[in-house]
Amino acid sequence: MAVTPDELGDAWRDSKLHLPLRVTLNDQLFGKPNAGEDMTFSFAQLVAHAAKTRELGAGSIVGSGTVSNKQGNLHGSSIANGGVGYCCLAEVRMYETIEHGAPKTPFLRFGDSVRIEMLDVTGASIFGAIDHEVAHYHGRKE
């Protein structure tokens, strides 16, 4: 799905999208950080930098990296601890390693489900959802 900045209204500021990215893991809220709040480089900066080394045409996709918010002097905090949570398992595992000496959150396992979605101020999905269950690969069906 493609969305133009004018369709995002006040949520599009400074070439950043200022809305929470909601991530659920096994139907439990894992994260809801604001995508624009702690974004280091704007999309305008990312596109300009990418265009220095390659042609960008219609349909090019430019990603901004992991969505994460600082909380106080911390680099994020879990939903259970009153924070906005995370959007990346590797990130939360790194913070757990710093805080506890080892990660506590496991990587995804077969049967786990993940949903990633951004909603507008009315609750409508902006880009559609990534809704996935981790499953064994059984080969191609011809």
Side-chain angles (χ1 to χ4, degrees):
M1 176 178 290
V3 177
T4 58
D6 62 300
E7 295 175 280
L8 300 171
D10 293 339
W12 182 255
R13 298 186 307 278
D14 304 320
S15 295
K16 299 175 182 181
L17 182 52
H18 293 268
L19 288 170
L21 183 64
R22 294 185 49 83
V23 176
T24 59
L25 177 57
N26 297 322
D27 297 321
Q28 297 292 315
L29 186 60
F30 184 73
K32 55 177 182 174
N34 186 297
E37 187 173 310
D38 291 313
M39 188 176 177
T40 304
F41 301 103
S42 71
F43 281 103
Q45 291 169 307
L46 293 170
V47 170
H49 184 75
K52 289 179 182 180
T53 59
R54 63 195 52 86
E55 283 191 38
L56 299 176
S60 294
I61 296 173
V62 177
S64 63
T66 301
V67 177
S68 181
N69 291 154
K70 297 175 185 169
Q71 184 171 333
N73 63 350
L74 302 173
H75 291 280
S77 184
S78 69
I79 297 290
N81 290 328
V84 295
Y86 304 93
C87 291
C88 176
L89 286 172
E91 179 183 21
V92 71
R93 288 172 57 84
M94 184 265 309
Y95 293 136
E96 290 169 345
T97 300
I98 291 168
E99 189 175 331
H100 305 289
K104 294 181 176 187
T105 302
F107 286 115
L108 295 176
R109 298 179 182 130
F110 295 117
D112 284 347
S113 63
V114 178
R115 183 179 178 91
I116 304 169
E117 187 171 32
M118 185 172 280
L119 306 175
D120 67 14
V121 294
T122 69
S125 182
I126 296 174
F127 308 107
I130 296 170
D131 199 354
H132 183 74
E133 183 175 319
V134 180
H136 288 277
Y137 176 71
H138 296 291
R140 281 170 91 164
K141 294 181 181 175
E142 301 292 328

